Amino acid sequence: MPRELPFAVDTWTPASALKRHRFLTHAHSDHLAGFTATCVVSASSPVYASRLTVVITLRKFPQLDRAAFVQLEVGGLPLGVPDPDGDFLVTALDANHCPGAVMFLFQGPFGTVLHTGDCHLTPGCLGALMPLLAGRRIDELFLDCTFARCSLRFPTRNDSIRQVISCIRKHPNAPVVYLVCNMLGHEDVLIEVSRAFGSKIYVDRDSNSDCHHTLTHVAPEILAADDAKSSTRFHVLLFRPRLSERATEILGLARAQQQPEPLIVRASAQWYANYYKASESWSQQQRKPVLTVREPMRDEDGVWRVCLSMHSSREELERALWILKPKCVESTTPPLLAEDAMIPSRMPPTRRSCSF
C-alpha cells in the first residue's frame, strides 16, 4: 500500500506489518497468505473484518483469540479508527464475492479510498456505495481487475444458478449429482439447488471440513447427515485436486460397472475466460468473437460447465469506473489490468498499477 496510507488491506508482509491498522476483506486463502508469519495479530494490533470472515479465519488459525479482531458488518455505521495522523472512518460494503466478503471505504485526512478486495460490482453494489460518497470523488481506488482482459458477457448470478438447476433437471437418470465447489463462494448455488429439488446436500465432514464448517454458519438447513452419503443424491465435490482426473475416474467407474453416469457440474467463469489467453495482444483479443454464455457446456472430461463469476466482468468494470470516476486506480491483480479496464471508457484518472 502507498506509504501515506496508515493501513494495509489483505497484505501480510514485513512492509504491511509496519502499518498501524490492518484490514481483511474475506477469508480466501490467497488473501491470508503470510497472515501469522509476518504480522503480530493481537488485541493490541487487531485485524478488521466481517463477522463471518472472523469465524472462518479463526478456524484456519485456532491459535488466535477472537479479541484479535474488530468486526465490521455490511449496513453498519462507519467505524471511527483513532490514528496519530488523524482519525479516519471505515465502512464495510457487500463485495458480492463470497460469504463474509466486504469492500472497505476509508475516509480521512488522506482523502477517500475504496478497496474492493475481490468483488463483483453489480448495480446493487454501486447503488449502496454512491450515497456514502455524497458527491465526493474517490481519490484512490484499489480494484479487483481479475477479468479486465476478458470480453465475455457473464450471465447474472441468478441466471447462472438457473442454468445449474436446468442442467440437473435435464439429467433425471443421474443417480448422483456432484456439485463442484470452492470452499467459499458457491454456497448460494447449493442453497438454491437444495430448494429446487427439496433435497439436502451431502458434504463429507472429514475430506471437506472447511466447506462443511462454512455451511453450518451460512445454511445449516441444507446439510445432509454425516451417515446419509449413500442415500443423498446431491454431493459437494471439491475443485482440487485436479477436477479432470477426478471426473474421469468417477465417470469411468460408472461405465465399468454398467451403471448410469453421475452428473458433474462446475459453476465457474474461469474455464470460459481461458478462451481469451492472457498472453495474447489486445488487438488479437479484439478480433475474437464476443461470447454470450447462456447454456451449460460439457467439456472433454464429461464435466458440465456453467459460467458463474465471483468477480466483475470487463463490462461491469467499465461501468463502475464510468460511474465512480476515481482520480486514481490501482489493480489488486496483475499490474496492467487496471489500465486495460479503463481503455474503452477513456477515463481521465492517472493510470497507475501496483502488484500486491
Side-chain angles (χ1 to χ4, degrees):
M1 301 289 286
R3 291 183 178 180
E4 65 269 19
L5 296 178
F7 54 82
V9 182
D10 291 352
T11 53
W12 318 100
T13 64
S16 65
L18 300 177
K19 297 288 187 178
R20 292 188 290 272
H21 315 281
R22 275 81 55 81
F23 294 81
L24 175 63
T25 61
H26 65 290
H28 275 154
S29 58
D30 55 328
H31 289 250
L32 286 166
F35 187 69
T36 57
T38 57
C39 296
V40 176
V41 180
S42 65
S44 60
S45 182
V47 171
Y48 296 77
S50 70
R51 180 196 63 81
L52 187 55
T53 295
V54 171
V55 169
I56 297 169
T57 303
L58 285 173
R59 176 175 171 79
K60 290 175 175 285
F61 303 100
Q63 73 273 25
L64 298 178
D65 189 272
R66 187 176 290 270
F69 295 87
V70 175
Q71 294 184 12
L72 292 168
E73 290 306 322
V74 171
L77 294 174
L79 177 68
V81 180
D83 188 80
D85 292 337
D87 298 352
F88 62 91
L89 297 176
V90 58
T91 307
L93 300 111
D94 183 12
N96 193 29
H97 177 64
C98 71
V102 296
M103 303 185 290
F104 291 117
L105 177 66
F106 302 95
Q107 296 167 298
F110 44 75
T112 300
V113 176
L114 176 65
H115 196 297
T116 67
D118 284 355
C119 69
H120 190 175
L121 290 174
T122 59
C125 288
L126 294 174
L129 172 61
M130 296 308 291
L132 297 173
L133 296 176
R136 294 186 299 274
R137 284 180 67 184
I138 294 172
D139 295 294
E140 190 115 18
L141 172 60
F142 293 89
L143 181 64
D144 169 17
C145 297
T146 297
F147 289 125
R149 289 182 177 174
C150 177
S151 297
L152 280 172
R153 294 172 182 168
F154 298 144
T156 66
R157 198 167 185 84
N158 287 338
D159 285 343
S160 298
I161 293 174
R162 280 193 287 269
Q163 286 187 36
V164 172
I165 293 171
S166 175
C167 185
I168 296 170
R169 284 180 172 152
K170 289 178 180 178
H171 296 83
N173 295 325
V176 179
V177 177
Y178 292 102
L179 299 166
V180 185
C181 295
N182 298 343
M183 188 202 77
L184 282 171
H186 287 85
E187 290 76 10
D188 49 354
V189 177
L190 302 179
I191 291 169
E192 294 306 319
V193 167
S194 176
R195 288 174 180 169
F197 294 94
S199 174
K200 293 184 182 295
I201 296 176
Y202 178 78
V203 181
D204 191 295
R205 188 192 292 264
D206 295 326
S207 64
N208 199 352
S209 60
D210 286 337
C211 180
H212 191 283
H213 178 260
T214 300
L215 282 173
T216 60
H217 290 275
V218 176
E221 70 280 2
I222 74 169
L223 279 172
D226 291 344
D227 59 356
K229 181 176 182 178
S230 60
S231 60
T232 304
R233 186 185 182 209
F234 298 96
H235 292 230
V236 165
L237 184 68
L238 279 180
F239 176 55
R240 291 184 175 89
R242 289 180 62 86
L243 176 58
S244 59
E245 294 174 2
R246 301 188 73 188
T248 300
E249 180 183 352
I250 290 170
L251 296 175
L253 180 61
R255 295 183 192 119
Q257 296 177 347
Q258 297 184 329
Q259 296 178 346
E261 287 188 0
L263 180 66
I264 306 173
V265 184
R266 168 63 170 164
S268 171
Q270 192 62 54
W271 183 81
Y272 289 87
N274 285 339
Y275 178 81
Y276 297 94
K277 296 180 180 178
S279 60
E280 292 182 346
S281 68
W282 174 260
S283 60
Q284 287 175 315
Q285 292 177 30
Q286 290 298 89
R287 288 196 296 270
K288 280 193 170 185
V290 176
L291 301 181
T292 301
V293 184
R294 299 185 183 277
E295 296 292 336
M297 297 175 61
R298 194 181 194 207
D299 69 14
E300 60 186 10
D301 299 308
V303 178
W304 285 90
R305 303 282 185 164
V306 172
C307 187
L308 182 149
S309 181
M310 295 165 59
H311 302 266
S312 302
S313 67
R314 179 186 182 83
E315 184 179 25
E316 288 166 333
L317 288 171
E318 292 174 9
R319 184 191 306 119
L321 287 168
W322 185 254
I323 291 172
L324 296 175
K325 293 181 171 60
K327 296 177 183 178
C328 179
V329 178
E330 305 220 13
S331 176
T332 60
T333 41
L336 295 178
L337 296 187
E339 295 187 22
D340 290 342
M342 287 188 284
I343 288 173
S345 302
R346 302 184 185 90
M347 290 290 295
T350 303
R351 293 173 183 164
R352 290 197 305 172
S353 59
C354 64
S355 182
F356 288 69

